[in-house]
Amino acid sequence: MRLEPTEPEKRLWRVLSGAKLGGHKFRRQAVIGANIADFLCPQKALVVEIDGDTHADGSDAMRARRLVDLGYQVVRFTNHDVMTNLEGVCERLLAVLNAAPDRWHSPHPNPSPEGEGLNEDEVT
């Protein structure tokens, strides 16, 4: 799916990529444990799923529980929602993002083992 996203995923990604939705950064096809999220906002620990014909209610509920247990919030939209009401989807997403707490204070420090990122004298 990563190389061939669905049309609804393409349309939503055009809005989410480049931090276009309220300045929130997203990743597409993000790996979280044994799951691959359609979209992930790491700063807000928000997973966005676009449900189409390949999604099953029972397995989706179990998957959402696993993600919630890992500390993520899951928001779902249908293909139909994205295709016919993209503006409403974006309004709902922005409301959820603005209500969600940040996982860390920006800028996120680089956890590089080589010590790259913040210098000791820059840490307050």
Side-chain angles (χ1 to χ4, degrees), residues 4 34 41 61 70 72-73 84 87 92 102 106 111-112 119 121:
E4 293 185 33
C41 177
L70 291 171
Y72 294 89
Q73 181 179 1
T84 62
E87 185 176 327
R92 172 78 175 118
D102 287 344
S106 294
S112 170
N119 295 327
D121 57 347

Side-chain angles (χ1 to χ4, degrees), residues 7-105:
E7 186 59 32
E9 289 172 340
K10 288 178 190 177
R11 286 187 186 196
L12 187 56
W13 182 239
R14 282 186 217 118
V15 175
L16 299 179
S17 65
K20 293 177 199 152
L21 187 65
H24 299 282
K25 294 181 181 180
F26 278 85
R27 296 179 187 158
R28 188 176 69 84
Q29 297 292 302
V31 176
I32 304 171
N35 302 298
I36 298 176
D38 290 336
F39 305 101
L40 168 67
C41 177
Q43 180 74 26
K44 298 292 187 168
L46 179 68
V47 171
V48 179
E49 292 290 315
I50 307 301
D51 294 341
D53 298 334
T54 61
H55 289 265
D57 291 334
S59 62
D60 282 349
M62 287 181 8
R63 181 179 164 179
R65 273 194 298 274
R66 285 194 306 266
L67 290 168
V68 168
D69 289 345
L70 291 171
Y72 294 89
Q73 181 179 1
V74 179
V75 177
R76 293 187 172 285
F77 299 99
T78 66
N79 284 345
H80 181 73
D81 291 336
V82 174
M83 296 300 287
T84 62
N85 188 17
L86 185 57
E87 185 176 327
V89 167
C90 292
E91 287 175 11
R92 172 78 175 118
L93 264 178
L94 195 54
V96 171
L97 287 162
N98 289 336
D102 287 344
R103 291 174 70 191
W104 56 75
H105 298 289

